[in-house]
């Protein structure tokens, strides 16, 4: 069998286009880690890994430490904790909020209204408090 005959045997025509069949798919062994998508036809390995957010590396094997690299969106009044593939923000003592926004005030419900005051050690009008 000639080289041309072997090559044409690997071709398939569908919907007016000609496709070359891939007999050895490098993604079949699932080389990519941490939920990354394997894409064939790239590099000397024949594939590349498309990492999910929070991961990097050739196989997406490395966790990105958003806290150390300062790529998080935590409030300056919170602590950032690195997690596998992500991070978590938690307000520092004396602050309330979701970690991305932290306030130094406390509100009290009143009949038909509410009143906010800055916590001890903070100054402001109860809507904006600085520590």
């Amino acid at each position: 069998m000639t080289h041309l005959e072997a090559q044409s045997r690997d071709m398939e025509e569908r919907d007016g286009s000609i496709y070359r069949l891939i007999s050895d798919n490098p993604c079949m062994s699932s080389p990519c880690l941490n939920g990354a998508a394997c894409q064939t036809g790239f590099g000397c390995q024949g594939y590349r890994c498309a990492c999910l957010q929070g991961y990097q590396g050739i196989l997406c094997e490395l966790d990105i430490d958003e806290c150390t690299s300062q790529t998080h969106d935590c409030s300056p009044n919170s602590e950032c904790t690195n997690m596998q593939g992500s991070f978590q923000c938690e307000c520092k003592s004396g602050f309330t909020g979701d970690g991305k926004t932290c306030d130094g005030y406390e509100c009290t419900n009143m009949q038909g209204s509410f009143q906010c005051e800055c916590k001890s050690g903070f100054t402001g009008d109860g809507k904006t408090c600085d520590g």
Side-chain angles (χ1 to χ4, degrees):
M1 176 182 305
T2 69
H3 177 70
L4 188 56
E5 289 171 328
Q7 190 175 22
S8 66
R9 186 182 58 165
D10 290 342
M11 305 296 245
E12 181 179 302
E13 186 173 345
R14 283 189 279 159
D15 301 326
S17 297
I18 297 176
Y19 296 89
R20 181 161 191 256
L21 300 175
I22 298 174
S23 56
D24 186 27
N25 183 343
C27 289
M28 291 298 288
S29 65
S30 302
C32 303
L33 304 173
N34 297 309
C38 185
Q39 301 171 330
T40 61
F42 295 92
C44 58
Q45 306 99 304
Y47 70 90
R48 72 176 176 191
C49 298
C51 301
L52 294 177
Q53 185 174 348
Y55 292 98
Q56 62 186 359
I58 293 174
L59 301 177
C60 304
E61 73 278 14
L62 302 172
D63 171 59
I64 296 171
D65 186 340
E66 295 86 356
C67 300
T68 302
S69 65
Q70 298 293 311
T71 57
H72 61 82
D73 58 353
C74 297
S75 164
N77 298 320
S78 69
E79 296 289 336
C80 180
T81 304
N82 187 57
M83 303 179 73
Q84 193 66 20
S86 187
F87 63 95
Q88 184 175 10
C89 308
E90 188 173 332
C91 292
K92 293 177 181 176
S93 179
F95 291 90
T96 58
D98 63 2
K100 295 185 179 188
T101 56
C102 298
D103 300 304
Y105 61 84
E106 207 168 274
C107 295
T108 306
N109 278 331
M110 300 171 65
Q111 187 71 18
S113 184
F114 63 93
Q115 181 178 353
C116 297
E117 294 179 358
C118 294
K119 290 183 177 181
S120 178
F122 297 90
T123 58
D125 61 6
K127 293 179 184 174
T128 304
C129 301
D130 296 313

